[in-house]
Coordinates of all heavy atoms in Angstrom, one line a residue:
M96 N 0.9 -1.2 0.0 CA 0.0 0.0 0.0 C 0.9 1.2 0.0 O 1.9 1.3 0.7 CB -0.9 0.0 1.2 CG -1.9 1.1 1.3 SD -3.0 0.8 2.6 CE -4.0 2.1 2.5
A97 N 0.5 2.2 -0.8 CA 1.3 3.4 -0.9 C 1.2 4.3 0.4 O 0.2 4.3 1.1 CB 0.8 4.3 -2.1
E98 N 2.3 4.9 0.8 CA 2.4 5.7 2.0 C 1.8 7.0 1.7 O 2.1 7.7 0.8 CB 3.9 5.9 2.4 CG 4.0 6.2 3.8 CD 5.4 6.2 4.2 OE1 6.2 5.2 3.8 OE2 5.9 7.1 4.9
I99 N 0.8 7.5 2.5 CA 0.1 8.8 2.3 C 1.0 9.9 2.9 O 1.6 9.8 4.0 CB -1.2 8.7 3.1 CG1 -2.1 7.7 2.6 CG2 -1.9 10.1 3.1 CD1 -3.4 7.4 3.3
K100 N 1.2 10.9 2.1 CA 2.0 12.1 2.5 C 1.1 13.3 2.4 O 0.2 13.4 1.6 CB 3.2 12.2 1.6 CG 4.2 11.1 1.7 CD 5.5 11.4 1.2 CE 6.4 10.2 1.5 NZ 7.8 10.6 1.8
R101 N 1.4 14.2 3.4 CA 0.6 15.4 3.4 C 1.6 16.7 3.4 O 2.8 16.5 3.7 CB -0.2 15.4 4.7 CG -1.3 14.4 4.7 CD -2.3 14.5 5.8 NE -3.2 13.5 5.7 CZ -3.8 12.9 6.7 NH1 -3.5 13.2 8.0 NH2 -4.7 12.0 6.6
S102 N 1.0 17.8 3.1 CA 1.7 19.0 3.0 C 1.6 19.8 4.2 O 0.5 20.0 4.8 CB 1.3 19.8 1.8 OG 2.0 21.0 1.7
Y103 N 2.7 20.4 4.8 CA 2.7 21.1 6.0 C 3.5 22.4 5.9 O 4.4 22.5 5.0 CB 3.3 20.3 7.2 CG 2.6 19.0 7.5 CD1 2.9 17.8 6.9 CD2 1.5 19.0 8.4 CE1 2.2 16.7 7.2 CE2 0.8 17.9 8.7 CZ 1.1 16.7 8.0 OH 0.4 15.5 8.3
E104 N 3.2 23.3 6.8 CA 4.0 24.5 6.9 C 4.4 24.7 8.4 O 3.6 24.5 9.2 CB 3.3 25.7 6.4 CG 4.1 27.0 6.5 CD 3.3 28.2 6.0 OE1 2.5 28.8 6.7 OE2 3.5 28.5 4.8
T105 N 5.7 25.0 8.6 CA 6.1 25.3 9.9 C 6.8 26.6 10.0 O 7.6 27.0 9.1 CB 7.1 24.2 10.5 OG1 7.5 24.5 11.8 CG2 8.4 24.0 9.6
V106 N 6.6 27.3 11.1 CA 7.2 28.6 11.3 C 7.9 28.5 12.7 O 7.3 28.1 13.7 CB 6.2 29.8 11.4 CG1 6.9 31.1 11.7 CG2 5.4 29.9 10.1
A107 N 9.2 28.9 12.7 CA 9.9 28.8 14.0 C 10.5 30.2 14.3 O 11.0 30.9 13.3 CB 11.0 27.8 13.9
I108 N 10.5 30.6 15.5 CA 11.1 31.9 16.0 C 12.3 31.5 16.8 O 12.1 30.8 17.9 CB 10.1 32.8 16.7 CG1 8.9 33.0 15.8 CG2 10.9 34.1 17.0 CD1 7.8 33.8 16.6
F109 N 13.5 31.9 16.4 CA 14.7 31.5 17.2 C 15.2 32.7 18.0 O 15.0 33.9 17.6 CB 15.7 31.1 16.2 CG 15.4 29.9 15.4 CD1 15.1 30.0 14.0 CD2 15.2 28.6 16.0 CE1 14.8 28.9 13.2 CE2 14.9 27.5 15.2 CZ 14.6 27.7 13.9
N110 N 15.8 32.4 19.1 CA 16.4 33.4 20.0 C 17.6 34.0 19.3 O 18.5 33.2 18.8 CB 16.7 32.8 21.3 CG 17.0 33.8 22.4 OD1 17.5 34.9 22.2 ND2 16.7 33.4 23.6
T111 N 17.8 35.3 19.3 CA 18.9 36.0 18.6 C 20.1 36.3 19.6 O 21.1 36.8 19.2 CB 18.5 37.2 17.9 OG1 17.9 38.1 18.8 CG2 17.5 36.9 16.8
K112 N 19.9 36.1 20.9 CA 20.9 36.5 21.8 C 22.3 35.8 21.7 O 23.3 36.3 22.1 CB 20.4 36.4 23.3 CG 20.3 35.0 23.8 CD 19.9 34.9 25.3 CE 19.8 33.5 25.7 NZ 19.3 33.3 27.0
D113 N 22.3 34.6 21.1 CA 23.5 33.8 21.0 C 24.3 34.1 19.6 O 25.3 33.5 19.3 CB 23.3 32.3 21.1 CG 22.8 31.9 22.5 OD1 23.2 32.7 23.5 OD2 22.1 31.0 22.7
G114 N 23.7 35.0 18.8 CA 24.3 35.4 17.5 C 23.8 34.7 16.4 O 23.0 33.7 16.4
E115 N 24.2 35.2 15.2 CA 23.8 34.6 13.9 C 24.2 33.2 13.7 O 23.6 32.4 13.0 CB 24.3 35.5 12.8 CG 23.6 36.9 12.8 CD 24.0 37.8 11.6 OE1 24.6 37.2 10.6 OE2 23.9 39.0 11.8
E116 N 25.4 32.9 14.2 CA 25.9 31.5 13.9 C 25.0 30.4 14.7 O 24.8 29.3 14.1 CB 27.4 31.4 14.5 CG 28.4 32.2 13.8 CD 28.4 33.7 14.3 OE1 28.0 33.9 15.4 OE2 28.9 34.5 13.5
A117 N 24.6 30.8 15.8 CA 23.7 29.8 16.6 C 22.3 29.7 15.9 O 21.8 28.6 15.8 CB 23.5 30.4 18.0
V118 N 21.8 30.8 15.3 CA 20.6 30.8 14.5 C 20.8 29.9 13.3 O 19.9 29.1 13.0 CB 20.1 32.2 14.2 CG1 18.9 32.1 13.2 CG2 19.7 32.9 15.5
A119 N 21.9 30.1 12.6 CA 22.1 29.3 11.4 C 22.2 27.9 11.7 O 21.8 27.0 10.9 CB 23.4 29.9 10.7
A120 N 22.8 27.5 12.9 CA 23.0 26.1 13.2 C 21.7 25.5 13.5 O 21.4 24.3 13.1 CB 23.9 26.0 14.4
L121 N 20.7 26.2 14.2 CA 19.4 25.7 14.5 C 18.6 25.5 13.2 O 17.9 24.5 13.0 CB 18.7 26.7 15.4 CG 19.1 26.7 16.8 CD1 18.4 27.8 17.6 CD2 18.8 25.4 17.5
I122 N 18.7 26.5 12.2 CA 18.0 26.3 11.0 C 18.5 25.0 10.3 O 17.7 24.3 9.7 CB 18.3 27.6 10.1 CG1 17.5 28.8 10.7 CG2 17.8 27.3 8.7 CD1 17.8 30.1 10.1
E123 N 19.8 24.9 10.2 CA 20.3 23.7 9.5 C 19.9 22.4 10.2 O 19.6 21.4 9.6 CB 21.9 23.8 9.4 CG 22.4 24.7 8.5 CD 21.8 24.6 7.0 OE1 21.8 23.5 6.5 OE2 21.3 25.6 6.5
K124 N 19.8 22.4 11.5 CA 19.4 21.2 12.3 C 18.0 20.9 11.9 O 17.7 19.7 11.6 CB 19.5 21.6 13.8 CG 18.8 20.5 14.7 CD 18.8 20.9 16.1 CE 18.1 19.8 16.9 NZ 18.2 20.0 18.4
F125 N 17.1 21.9 11.9 CA 15.7 21.5 11.5 C 15.5 21.2 10.1 O 14.6 20.3 9.7 CB 14.8 22.7 12.0 CG 14.6 22.7 13.5 CD1 15.2 23.6 14.3 CD2 14.0 21.7 14.1 CE1 15.2 23.6 15.7 CE2 13.9 21.6 15.6 CZ 14.5 22.6 16.3
K126 N 16.2 21.9 9.2 CA 16.2 21.5 7.8 C 16.6 20.1 7.6 O 16.0 19.3 6.8 CB 17.0 22.5 6.9 CG 16.4 23.8 6.7 CD 17.2 24.8 6.0 CE 17.8 24.4 4.7 NZ 18.6 25.4 4.0
A127 N 17.7 19.7 8.3 CA 18.2 18.3 8.1 C 17.1 17.2 8.7 O 16.9 16.2 8.0 CB 19.5 18.1 8.9
L128 N 16.6 17.6 9.8 CA 15.5 16.7 10.4 C 14.3 16.5 9.4 O 13.8 15.4 9.2 CB 15.1 17.3 11.8 CG 14.0 16.5 12.5 CD1 14.5 15.1 12.8 CD2 13.5 17.3 13.7
I129 N 13.9 17.7 8.9 CA 12.7 17.6 8.0 C 13.1 16.8 6.7 O 12.4 16.0 6.2 CB 12.2 19.0 7.6 CG1 11.6 19.7 8.9 CG2 11.2 19.0 6.5 CD1 11.3 21.2 8.7
S130 N 14.3 17.0 6.2 CA 14.8 16.4 5.0 C 14.9 14.8 5.2 O 14.6 14.1 4.2 CB 16.1 16.9 4.5 OG 16.0 18.2 4.1
E131 N 15.3 14.4 6.3 CA 15.4 13.0 6.7 C 14.0 12.3 6.7 O 13.9 11.1 6.5 CB 16.0 12.8 8.1 CG 17.5 13.1 8.1 CD 18.0 13.1 9.5 OE1 17.4 12.7 10.4 OE2 19.2 13.6 9.7
N132 N 13.0 13.1 7.1 CA 11.7 12.5 7.3 C 10.7 12.9 6.2 O 9.5 12.6 6.4 CB 11.2 12.8 8.7 CG 12.0 12.2 9.7 OD1 11.8 11.1 10.0 ND2 12.9 13.0 10.3
G133 N 11.0 13.7 5.3 CA 10.1 14.2 4.3 C 10.9 15.0 3.2 O 12.1 14.8 3.0
T134 N 10.1 15.8 2.5 CA 10.8 16.6 1.5 C 10.4 18.1 1.7 O 9.3 18.5 2.0 CB 10.2 16.4 0.1 OG1 9.2 15.4 0.1 CG2 11.3 15.9 -0.9
I135 N 11.5 19.0 1.6 CA 11.3 20.4 1.7 C 10.8 20.9 0.4 O 11.5 20.8 -0.6 CB 12.6 21.1 2.2 CG1 12.9 20.7 3.6 CG2 12.4 22.6 2.1 CD1 14.2 21.3 4.2
D136 N 9.6 21.5 0.4 CA 9.0 22.1 -0.9 C 9.5 23.5 -1.1 O 9.7 23.9 -2.3 CB 7.5 22.0 -0.8 CG 7.1 20.6 -0.7 OD1 7.7 19.6 -1.2 OD2 6.1 20.4 0.1
N137 N 9.6 24.3 0.0 CA 9.9 25.8 -0.1 C 10.3 26.2 1.3 O 9.9 25.7 2.3 CB 8.6 26.5 -0.5 CG 8.8 27.9 -0.9 OD1 10.0 28.3 -1.1 ND2 7.7 28.7 -1.0
E138 N 11.1 27.2 1.3 CA 11.5 27.8 2.6 C 11.7 29.3 2.4 O 12.0 29.8 1.3 CB 12.8 27.2 3.1 CG 13.9 27.2 2.1 CD 15.1 26.3 2.6 OE1 15.7 26.7 3.6 OE2 15.4 25.3 2.0
A139 N 11.4 30.1 3.5 CA 11.6 31.5 3.4 C 12.2 32.0 4.7 O 11.9 31.6 5.8 CB 10.2 32.1 3.4
D140 N 13.3 32.8 4.5 CA 14.0 33.4 5.6 C 13.4 34.8 5.9 O 13.7 35.7 5.1 CB 15.5 33.5 5.2 CG 16.4 33.9 6.4 OD1 15.8 34.5 7.4 OD2 17.6 33.6 6.3
W141 N 12.6 35.0 6.9 CA 12.1 36.3 7.2 C 13.0 37.1 8.0 O 12.7 38.3 8.1 CB 10.7 36.0 8.0 CG 9.6 35.5 7.1 CD1 9.7 35.1 5.8 CD2 8.3 35.3 7.6 NE1 8.4 34.7 5.4 CE2 7.6 34.7 6.5 CE3 7.6 35.5 8.8 CZ2 6.2 34.4 6.6 CZ3 6.3 35.1 8.9 CH2 5.6 34.6 7.8
G142 N 14.0 36.6 8.6 CA 15.0 37.4 9.3 C 14.6 37.8 10.6 O 13.6 37.3 11.3
K143 N 15.4 38.7 11.1 CA 15.2 39.3 12.5 C 14.1 40.2 12.6 O 14.0 41.2 11.7 CB 16.4 39.9 13.0 CG 16.4 40.3 14.5 CD 17.6 41.1 14.9 CE 18.9 40.2 14.9 NZ 20.0 40.9 15.5
R144 N 13.1 40.1 13.4 CA 11.9 41.0 13.6 C 11.6 41.2 15.0 O 11.9 40.4 15.9 CB 10.7 40.4 12.9 CG 10.9 40.2 11.4 CD 9.6 39.6 10.8 NE 9.8 39.5 9.4 CZ 8.9 39.7 8.5 NH1 7.7 40.1 8.9 NH2 9.2 39.6 7.2
K145 N 11.0 42.4 15.3 CA 10.6 42.7 16.6 C 9.3 41.9 16.9 O 8.4 41.7 16.1 CB 10.2 44.2 16.6 CG 9.9 44.7 18.0 CD 9.7 46.2 18.0 CE 9.2 46.8 19.3 NZ 9.6 46.3 20.5
L146 N 9.3 41.3 18.2 CA 8.2 40.5 18.6 C 7.0 41.4 19.1 O 7.3 42.5 19.6 CB 8.6 39.6 19.7 CG 9.7 38.6 19.4 CD1 10.2 37.9 20.7 CD2 9.3 37.6 18.4
A147 N 5.8 40.9 18.9 CA 4.7 41.7 19.4 C 4.6 41.9 20.9 O 4.1 42.9 21.4 CB 3.4 41.0 18.9
Y148 N 5.2 40.9 21.6 CA 5.3 41.0 23.0 C 6.6 40.1 23.5 O 7.0 39.3 22.7 CB 4.1 40.4 23.7 CG 3.7 39.0 23.3 CD1 4.2 37.9 23.9 CD2 2.9 38.7 22.2 CE1 4.0 36.6 23.5 CE2 2.6 37.5 21.8 CZ 3.1 36.4 22.5 OH 2.9 35.1 22.0
P149 N 7.1 40.5 24.6 CA 8.3 39.7 25.0 C 8.1 38.3 25.2 O 7.1 37.9 25.8 CB 8.8 40.5 26.3 CG 8.1 41.8 26.3 CD 6.8 41.5 25.5
I150 N 9.0 37.4 24.8 CA 9.0 36.0 25.0 C 10.3 35.6 25.7 O 11.4 35.9 25.1 CB 8.8 35.2 23.7 CG1 7.6 35.6 23.0 CG2 8.8 33.7 24.0 CD1 7.5 35.0 21.6
E151 N 10.2 35.1 26.9 CA 11.4 34.8 27.7 C 12.3 36.0 27.8 O 13.6 35.9 27.6 CB 12.2 33.6 27.0 CG 11.4 32.3 27.1 CD 12.1 31.2 26.4 OE1 13.3 31.3 26.1 OE2 11.4 30.2 26.1
D152 N 11.8 37.2 28.0 CA 12.5 38.5 28.2 C 13.2 38.9 26.9 O 14.0 39.8 26.9 CB 13.4 38.4 29.3 CG 12.8 38.3 30.7 OD1 11.6 38.8 30.8 OD2 13.3 37.7 31.5
E153 N 12.8 38.3 25.7 CA 13.4 38.8 24.4 C 12.4 39.6 23.7 O 11.2 39.3 23.7 CB 13.8 37.5 23.6 CG 14.9 36.7 24.2 CD 16.2 37.4 24.4 OE1 16.6 38.2 23.5 OE2 16.9 37.1 25.4
T154 N 12.9 40.6 23.0 CA 12.0 41.5 22.3 C 12.2 41.3 20.8 O 11.4 41.9 20.0 CB 12.2 43.0 22.6 OG1 13.6 43.3 22.4 CG2 11.8 43.2 24.0
E155 N 13.2 40.5 20.3 CA 13.4 40.3 18.9 C 13.6 38.7 18.7 O 14.0 38.0 19.6 CB 14.8 40.9 18.4 CG 14.6 42.4 18.2 CD 15.9 42.9 17.5 OE1 17.0 42.4 17.7 OE2 15.8 44.0 16.8
G156 N 13.2 38.3 17.5 CA 13.3 36.9 17.2 C 13.7 36.8 15.7 O 13.4 37.6 14.9
Y157 N 14.2 35.6 15.4 CA 14.6 35.3 14.0 C 13.6 34.4 13.4 O 13.4 33.2 13.9 CB 16.0 34.7 13.9 CG 16.6 34.7 12.6 CD1 17.4 35.8 12.1 CD2 16.3 33.7 11.6 CE1 18.0 35.8 10.9 CE2 16.9 33.8 10.3 CZ 17.7 34.8 10.0 OH 18.2 34.8 8.7
Y158 N 12.8 34.7 12.4 CA 11.7 33.9 11.9 C 12.2 33.1 10.7 O 12.9 33.7 9.8 CB 10.6 34.9 11.4 CG 9.8 35.4 12.5 CD1 10.3 36.5 13.3 CD2 8.5 35.1 12.7 CE1 9.6 37.0 14.3 CE2 7.7 35.7 13.7 CZ 8.3 36.7 14.5 OH 7.5 37.2 15.4
Y159 N 11.8 31.8 10.6 CA 12.1 31.0 9.5 C 10.9 30.1 9.2 O 10.4 29.5 10.1 CB 13.4 30.1 9.8 CG 14.1 29.7 8.5 CD1 14.9 30.5 7.9 CD2 13.8 28.4 8.0 CE1 15.6 30.1 6.7 CE2 14.5 28.1 6.8 CZ 15.4 28.9 6.2 OH 16.0 28.5 5.0
V160 N 10.5 30.0 7.9 CA 9.4 29.3 7.4 C 9.7 28.2 6.5 O 10.6 28.4 5.6 CB 8.3 30.2 6.7 CG1 7.1 29.4 6.3 CG2 7.9 31.4 7.6
I161 N 9.2 26.9 6.7 CA 9.5 25.9 5.8 C 8.2 25.2 5.4 O 7.4 24.8 6.3 CB 10.4 24.8 6.5 CG1 11.8 25.4 6.9 CG2 10.7 23.6 5.6 CD1 12.7 24.6 7.7
N162 N 8.0 25.0 4.1 CA 6.9 24.2 3.7 C 7.5 22.8 3.3 O 8.5 22.7 2.6 CB 6.3 24.8 2.4 CG 5.5 26.1 2.7 OD1 4.6 26.1 3.5 ND2 6.0 27.2 2.2
F163 N 6.8 21.8 3.8 CA 7.4 20.4 3.6 C 6.2 19.4 3.4 O 5.1 19.6 3.7 CB 8.3 20.0 4.7 CG 7.7 19.8 6.0 CD1 7.3 18.6 6.4 CD2 7.5 20.9 6.8 CE1 6.6 18.4 7.7 CE2 6.9 20.8 8.1 CZ 6.5 19.5 8.5
T164 N 6.6 18.2 2.8 CA 5.7 17.1 2.7 C 6.3 15.9 3.4 O 7.5 15.7 3.3 CB 5.6 16.8 1.1 OG1 5.3 17.9 0.4 CG2 4.6 15.7 0.9
S165 N 5.4 15.3 4.3 CA 5.8 14.1 5.0 C 4.6 13.3 5.4 O 3.5 13.6 5.0 CB 6.5 14.6 6.3 OG 5.6 15.1 7.2
V166 N 4.9 12.2 6.0 CA 3.9 11.3 6.6 C 3.2 12.0 7.7 O 3.8 12.8 8.4 CB 4.4 9.9 7.0 CG1 5.0 9.2 5.8 CG2 5.5 10.1 8.1
P167 N 1.9 11.7 8.0 CA 1.2 12.4 9.0 C 1.8 12.3 10.4 O 1.5 13.1 11.3 CB -0.2 11.8 9.0 CG -0.3 11.2 7.6 CD 1.1 10.8 7.2
E168 N 2.6 11.3 10.7 CA 3.1 11.1 12.0 C 4.3 12.0 12.3 O 4.7 12.3 13.5 CB 3.7 9.6 12.2 CG 2.5 8.6 12.2 CD 2.1 8.2 10.7 OE1 2.9 8.5 9.8 OE2 0.9 7.8 10.6
F169 N 5.0 12.5 11.3 CA 6.2 13.3 11.5 C 6.0 14.7 12.2 O 6.8 15.0 13.1 CB 7.0 13.6 10.2 CG 8.2 14.4 10.4 CD1 9.2 14.1 11.2 CD2 8.2 15.6 9.7 CE1 10.3 14.9 11.3 CE2 9.2 16.5 9.9 CZ 10.3 16.1 10.7
P170 N 5.0 15.4 11.9 CA 4.8 16.7 12.6 C 4.9 16.7 14.1 O 5.3 17.6 14.8 CB 3.5 17.3 12.0 CG 3.4 16.7 10.7 CD 4.0 15.3 10.9
A171 N 4.3 15.6 14.7 CA 4.3 15.5 16.2 C 5.8 15.3 16.7 O 6.1 15.9 17.7 CB 3.5 14.3 16.6
E172 N 6.6 14.6 16.0 CA 8.0 14.5 16.3 C 8.7 15.8 16.1 O 9.6 16.1 17.0 CB 8.6 13.4 15.5 CG 10.1 13.2 15.7 CD 10.5 12.8 17.1 OE1 9.7 12.4 17.9 OE2 11.8 12.9 17.4
L173 N 8.5 16.5 15.1 CA 9.1 17.8 14.8 C 8.7 18.7 16.0 O 9.6 19.5 16.5 CB 8.7 18.4 13.5 CG 9.2 19.7 13.1 CD1 10.7 19.7 13.0 CD2 8.6 20.2 11.8
D174 N 7.5 18.7 16.4 CA 7.0 19.6 17.5 C 7.7 19.2 18.8 O 8.1 20.1 19.5 CB 5.5 19.5 17.6 CG 4.9 20.5 18.6 OD1 5.3 21.7 18.4 OD2 4.1 20.2 19.5
R175 N 7.9 18.0 19.0 CA 8.6 17.5 20.2 C 10.0 18.0 20.2 O 10.5 18.5 21.3 CB 8.6 16.0 20.3 CG 9.2 15.4 21.5 CD 9.3 13.9 21.5 NE 10.4 13.5 20.6 CZ 11.7 13.6 21.0 NH1 12.1 14.0 22.1 NH2 12.7 13.1 20.1
V176 N 10.7 17.9 19.1 CA 12.1 18.4 19.0 C 12.1 19.9 19.1 O 13.1 20.5 19.8 CB 12.8 17.9 17.7 CG1 14.2 18.5 17.5 CG2 12.8 16.4 17.6
Y177 N 11.2 20.7 18.6 CA 11.2 22.1 18.8 C 11.1 22.5 20.3 O 11.8 23.3 20.8 CB 9.9 22.7 18.1 CG 10.1 23.1 16.6 CD1 9.0 22.9 15.8 CD2 11.2 23.7 16.1 CE1 9.0 23.2 14.5 CE2 11.3 24.0 14.8 CZ 10.2 23.8 13.9 OH 10.3 24.2 12.6
K178 N 10.2 21.7 21.0 CA 10.0 22.1 22.4 C 11.2 21.8 23.3 O 11.4 22.4 24.3 CB 8.8 21.3 22.9 CG 7.5 21.8 22.3 CD 6.3 21.0 22.9 CE 5.0 21.7 22.2 NZ 3.8 20.9 22.6
I179 N 12.1 20.8 22.9 CA 13.2 20.5 23.8 C 14.5 21.1 23.3 O 15.5 20.9 24.0 CB 13.4 18.9 23.9 CG1 13.7 18.3 22.5 CG2 12.2 18.3 24.5 CD1 14.1 16.8 22.6
T180 N 14.4 21.9 22.3 CA 15.7 22.6 21.8 C 15.8 24.0 22.4 O 14.9 24.8 22.2 CB 15.6 22.6 20.2 OG1 15.4 21.3 19.7 CG2 16.9 23.2 19.7
D181 N 16.9 24.3 23.0 CA 17.3 25.6 23.4 C 17.4 26.5 22.3 O 18.0 26.1 21.3 CB 18.6 25.6 24.3 CG 18.4 24.9 25.6 OD1 17.2 24.8 26.1 OD2 19.4 24.4 26.2
G182 N 16.9 27.7 22.4 CA 17.1 28.7 21.3 C 15.8 28.8 20.5 O 15.7 29.8 19.6
V183 N 14.8 28.0 20.7 CA 13.6 28.0 19.9 C 12.6 28.8 20.8 O 12.2 28.3 21.9 CB 13.0 26.7 19.5 CG1 11.6 26.9 18.8 CG2 14.0 25.9 18.6
L184 N 12.2 30.0 20.5 CA 11.3 30.8 21.3 C 9.8 30.3 21.1 O 9.0 30.1 22.0 CB 11.3 32.2 20.9 CG 12.6 33.0 21.3 CD1 12.6 34.4 20.8 CD2 12.9 32.9 22.8
R185 N 9.4 30.1 19.8 CA 8.1 29.7 19.5 C 8.1 28.9 18.2 O 9.0 29.1 17.4 CB 7.1 30.8 19.3 CG 6.7 31.6 20.5 CD 5.6 30.8 21.4 NE 5.1 31.5 22.4 CZ 5.6 31.6 23.6 NH1 6.8 31.1 23.9 NH2 5.1 32.3 24.5
S186 N 7.2 28.0 18.0 CA 7.1 27.3 16.8 C 5.6 26.9 16.5 O 4.8 26.9 17.4 CB 7.9 26.0 16.8 OG 7.4 25.1 17.8
L187 N 5.3 26.7 15.2 CA 3.9 26.4 14.8 C 4.0 25.5 13.6 O 4.8 25.7 12.7 CB 3.1 27.6 14.4 CG 1.7 27.5 13.9 CD1 0.8 26.9 15.0 CD2 1.2 28.7 13.4
I188 N 3.2 24.5 13.6 CA 3.1 23.5 12.5 C 1.7 23.4 12.1 O 0.8 23.1 12.9 CB 3.7 22.1 12.8 CG1 5.1 22.2 13.3 CG2 3.6 21.2 11.6 CD1 5.7 21.0 13.9
V189 N 1.3 23.6 10.8 CA 0.0 23.5 10.3 C 0.0 22.7 9.0 O 0.9 22.7 8.3 CB -0.7 24.9 10.0 CG1 -0.9 25.7 11.3 CG2 0.1 25.7 9.0
E190 N -1.1 22.0 8.8 CA -1.3 21.2 7.6 C -1.9 22.1 6.5 O -2.9 22.9 6.8 CB -2.2 20.0 7.8 CG -2.4 19.2 6.6 CD -3.3 18.0 6.9 OE1 -3.6 17.7 8.0 OE2 -3.6 17.3 5.9
N191 N -1.3 22.1 5.3 CA -1.8 23.0 4.2 C -3.0 22.2 3.6 O -3.0 21.1 3.5 CB -0.7 23.1 3.2 CG 0.4 24.0 3.6 OD1 0.2 24.9 4.4 ND2 1.6 23.9 3.1
E192 N -4.0 23.1 3.2 CA -5.2 22.6 2.5 C -4.8 22.1 1.1 O -4.0 22.7 0.5 CB -6.2 23.7 2.5 CG -6.8 24.1 3.8 CD -7.6 23.0 4.5 OE1 -8.3 22.3 3.8 OE2 -7.5 23.0 5.7
Q193 N -5.4 21.0 0.7 CA -5.1 20.5 -0.6 C -6.1 21.0 -1.7 O -7.2 21.1 -1.4 CB -5.1 19.0 -0.6 CG -4.0 18.5 0.2 CD -2.6 18.7 -0.4 OE1 -2.5 18.6 -1.5 NE2 -1.6 18.8 0.5

């Protein structure tokens, strides 16, 4: 039976206090994780932006968006990794409408 794949979009806001190298390392980590478990369709680097309200006493965050296709079980694992990774202020994963 063919494996069902779905399209998702994830947005992550990274902490900028450790510098650009730390942010670049986190982006590469998550791109590699997504690539291992699916396919990256599109990505957008929104860069450093002012947050609407402070998160963990930070007023700026680095935004990165990735559209990907994977099996339905993978987004839960991606969310788990987001939550346990230092340097991730917020993340969101949504399924794209077909």
Side-chain angles (χ1 to χ4, degrees):
M96 184 170 179
E98 202 169 316
I99 297 174
K100 296 200 176 213
R101 296 191 178 142
S102 179
Y103 298 93
E104 178 176 85
T105 181
V106 178
I108 306 173
F109 301 110
N110 195 331
T111 59
K112 74 177 179 187
D113 294 330
E115 292 181 21
E116 297 82 20
V118 171
L121 286 172
I122 290 170
E123 287 307 312
K124 171 184 177 172
F125 287 108
K126 283 174 55 176
L128 179 63
I129 292 169
S130 293
E131 290 170 10
N132 295 282
T134 6
I135 294 178
D136 302 324
N137 191 14
E138 52 189 293
D140 186 342
W141 288 1
K143 189 186 292 189
R144 295 180 179 219
K145 185 170 172 41
L146 299 173
Y148 55 90
I150 302 172
E151 298 176 14
D152 295 328
E153 297 297 323
T154 57
E155 283 187 336
Y157 196 95
Y158 287 70
Y159 204 81
V160 180
I161 300 175
N162 291 298
F163 65 97
T164 305
S165 73
V166 294
E168 295 80 22
F169 174 65
E172 173 64 13
L173 179 60
D174 190 47
R175 184 189 74 79
V176 175
Y177 274 141
K178 288 179 180 175
I179 63 172
T180 303
D181 289 337
V183 177
L184 294 176
R185 289 285 189 272
S186 63
L187 176 69
I188 304 167
V189 294
E190 183 177 352
N191 288 333
E192 296 290 325
Q193 297 289 329

